[in-house]
Structures are given as C-alpha cells and as structure tokens.
Amino acid sequence: MSRSISRAEDRPSGFQPLSAPRSLTQQLFMRLAADITSGKLAAGSRLPTEQEMIAATGVSRTVVREAVAHLRAEGLVITRQGVGAFVAQNVRRPFRLDF
C-alpha cells in the first residue's frame, strides 16, 4: 500500500490550510489578562459580574464562565462562590513551555 502525502502543489488552488480564529473565550481571557497584568485591574479588585461582562462584550454566559475559569487556572484571579471573582494579590502565572 502506498500512502500519498498531501503537498501544496497537489492541492486545488482554492484550498489552503486555514488558521483557526481565536475563540470568544480566548479573546475575553486575553483582554482580561492584559487588564490584570497591566495594572488596569488592581490586585484585590473585583472583576465585573457575569451579567456586566455579558452586557459589555455581547458574549454568552458560558464564554464568560470559561474565560474566568481560565484566569483562575492561570493564577490571575481567585473566585468566591456567591461573591465573585477577584484579582489575585500575587499575580504569578504558571511556568509553561510552549512548543
């Protein structure tokens, strides 16, 4: 059995690899992370509520929740059930190697 490998010259002219657009969750995460790391959102300050973020950005509740969960996983915010999300006092992003 011979396996053919797709090469650029073998593709029809209209078919080229597509770059994946950033998801809404990723866009919101990046915006909030930038505000936190730049100091626009000070340590200890409360993030806007879910409803405020939904109204300001036009995204769904799921997108907001996923973005905040990503911020929490990165160590940028802490959450308190029923109270909200707050910018972490000591913002330390986890060490990661990007390949």
Side-chain angles (χ1 to χ4, degrees), residues 32-99:
L32 291 170
D35 286 350
I36 292 169
T37 56
S38 72
K40 187 174 179 182
L41 289 171
S45 66
R46 187 170 185 263
L47 263 57
T49 65
E50 284 181 357
Q51 291 304 316
E52 290 170 337
M53 283 194 253
I54 290 167
T57 60
V59 298
S60 70
R61 183 177 184 201
T62 301
V63 169
V64 171
R65 287 184 166 207
E66 288 175 358
V68 172
H70 193 172
L71 290 169
R72 189 176 59 242
E74 292 289 317
L76 296 173
V77 300
I78 57 169
T79 56
R80 293 188 217 144
Q81 188 172 359
V83 180
F86 297 84
V87 177
Q89 292 295 334
N90 297 319
V91 174
R92 280 184 246 147
R93 298 185 85 164
F95 176 75
R96 293 211 166 92
L97 294 175
D98 290 327
F99 296 99

